[in-house]
Amino acid sequence: MELIGRIPLGDQVYDRIAKALLTGQMRPNDRLTIRGLADQLGVSSTPVRDAVKQLTQENVLEHRSPKDVRVPVMTEATYLEILEIRLSLEGLAAEKAAQHATPVQIRELRKLLERNDRAIVRQNWALATEGNQEFHLALSTLAGMPTLQKVLKGLWLQMGPLVACYYDTEPVGLNRHHYELLQALELRDGTAARRAIEADISSARPAMLDQIAALRARLVVQNVA
């Protein structure tokens, strides 16, 4: 992770740790230390401790013991719950975005999607995962629903490390449904926009479940050893 200024601002530290989770710099079951994170970010331990505490309360990190902070290995049940919530809430965001997005906003969304395409071609999976998250969260901005975006950000933080593992498999057709959504926005078709984002979210379900099974099997082996 990049160094940040030495002013101990908790929100900056939180954002940097969050970005590391979303871009695959931190993976499921990775062990984190306050001192190690502080050294990487170039700050004192206090804002790191505060950020880790907040992320733990948000179920993004977990304390297994006072000195053992981990990136959680998501369970199948948790994933399926988040999947159902995302289908509902991101579907709502897409539908409302079709009603409220301006032509300028839609053009900017297309630029974001094209930038993500270039990251995929270069196999820059960290940038691709970040671009994917930005695209999804942009829908609630276009919909004019900041409260909804805050809720979705929390879900994406929990999903980030797992999504990064999914991107490691170099899946094909990552942006196919995104372009369908973009077309629906241009046509002001809320129903088609909802259908496109739901198809996008659902398409990754089998591969995500495979990733969870593999990660949890590895965790069992480590615990036995």
Side-chain angles (χ1 to χ4, degrees):
M1 291 182 287
E2 299 176 3
L3 288 175
I4 66 173
R6 294 190 177 276
I7 300 174
L9 298 175
D11 55 344
Q12 292 186 55
V13 172
Y14 179 98
D15 288 344
R16 289 299 174 88
I17 296 174
K19 183 174 182 179
L21 289 160
L22 289 166
T23 57
Q25 297 175 58
M26 296 177 181
R27 296 303 181 96
N29 204 40
D30 277 0
R31 184 174 181 177
L32 312 177
T33 67
I34 302 298
R35 184 69 266 163
L37 289 170
D39 289 344
Q40 289 182 63
L41 295 170
V43 297
S44 66
S45 296
T46 300
V48 175
R49 188 175 292 108
D50 291 343
V52 167
K53 181 179 179 181
Q54 183 177 349
L55 288 163
T56 301
Q57 292 172 340
E58 294 170 354
N59 297 319
V60 177
L61 298 176
E62 65 179 8
H63 277 283
R64 295 188 184 174
S65 72
K67 293 186 178 180
D68 191 356
V69 179
R70 300 272 179 153
V71 180
V73 179
M74 186 172 287
T75 65
E76 180 177 313
T78 298
Y79 167 71
L80 292 174
E81 180 185 5
I82 291 175
L83 175 66
E84 187 172 359
I85 296 169
R86 285 185 60 207
L87 286 169
S88 178
L89 296 187
E90 291 192 38
L92 173 64
E95 188 172 344
K96 294 296 183 181
Q99 299 172 17
H100 299 292
T102 68
V104 171
Q105 288 177 317
I106 294 174
R107 285 197 296 271
E108 289 300 314
L109 192 64
R110 180 176 291 278
K111 290 179 183 178
L112 172 59
L113 191 52
E114 291 170 349
R115 187 166 69 247
N116 204 28
D117 275 342
R118 292 192 292 272
I120 292 169
V121 169
R122 295 194 303 268
Q123 296 187 320
N124 186 338
W125 300 115
L127 188 60
T129 55
E130 185 177 18
N132 179 59
Q133 179 250 2
E134 288 177 2
F135 182 90
H136 280 258
L137 292 180
L139 295 178
S140 49
T141 298
L142 271 60
M145 304 179 77
T147 302
L148 176 59
Q149 184 176 86
K150 185 176 181 180
V151 174
L152 289 173
K153 278 185 176 179
L155 296 176
W156 270 92
L157 270 179
Q158 291 184 62
M159 288 290 300
L162 179 62
V163 172
C165 291
Y166 166 63
Y167 270 56
D168 284 345
T169 67
E170 302 183 10
V172 298
L174 284 168
N175 282 333
R176 179 167 66 90
H177 296 299
H178 290 174
Y179 279 107
E180 292 173 357
L181 171 58
L182 195 64
Q183 183 179 35
L185 295 182
E186 291 169 341
L187 295 174
R188 302 297 181 187
D189 188 337
T191 300
R194 176 186 281 272
R195 187 165 56 243
I197 200 65
E198 288 176 347
D200 178 63
I201 295 168
S202 298
S203 66
R205 183 180 186 272
M208 290 288 200
L209 290 174
D210 287 345
Q211 287 293 318
I212 290 171
L215 288 165
R216 296 200 68 80
R218 197 176 308 149
L219 184 62
V220 169
V221 171
Q222 291 174 356
N223 289 339
V224 170

